[in-house]
Amino acid sequence: MAGGKGIMLADLPAANAVLFGEDQGRYLIETSAPGTVLAAAKNAGIYTQRIGAVGGAALTLPGGNAISVHDLKAANEAWLPAYMAGG
């Protein structure tokens, strides 16, 4: 988990949960230089969108409240063991 951050989609409003879905054509990137990444993607013809910013111990999405990075990490690390246990 890059940067030690992650998210549990069930805890987000549907409008924000879709921002965190990854598949073969969609990825989340955490960077300290978003302008550089966005410019490089644009130059390569790759669509990008900045979805939020982590400041201190919270992730803030546009129009949303701050979400604890600690809680996000805990949820991310817990979902697979819970799923495998049938929970």
Side-chain angles (χ1 to χ4, degrees), residues 13-32:
N16 290 336
V18 71
L19 299 174
F20 291 92
E22 292 183 349
D23 64 21
Q24 292 80 7
R26 181 174 40 188
Y27 301 91
L28 292 175
I29 299 172
E30 176 191 351
T31 179
S32 60

Side-chain angles (χ1 to χ4, degrees), residues 4-65:
K5 297 164 183 72
I7 194 155
M8 181 68 139
L9 297 180
D11 295 337
L12 289 174
N16 290 336
V18 71
L19 299 174
F20 291 92
E22 292 183 349
D23 64 21
Q24 292 80 7
R26 181 174 40 188
Y27 301 91
L28 292 175
I29 299 172
E30 176 191 351
T31 179
S32 60
T36 301
V37 172
L38 293 170
K42 182 177 180 179
N43 289 339
I46 300 169
Y47 172 77
T48 58
Q49 180 178 0
R50 186 173 181 177
I51 63 168
V54 175
L59 168 67
T60 303
L61 300 172
N65 296 324

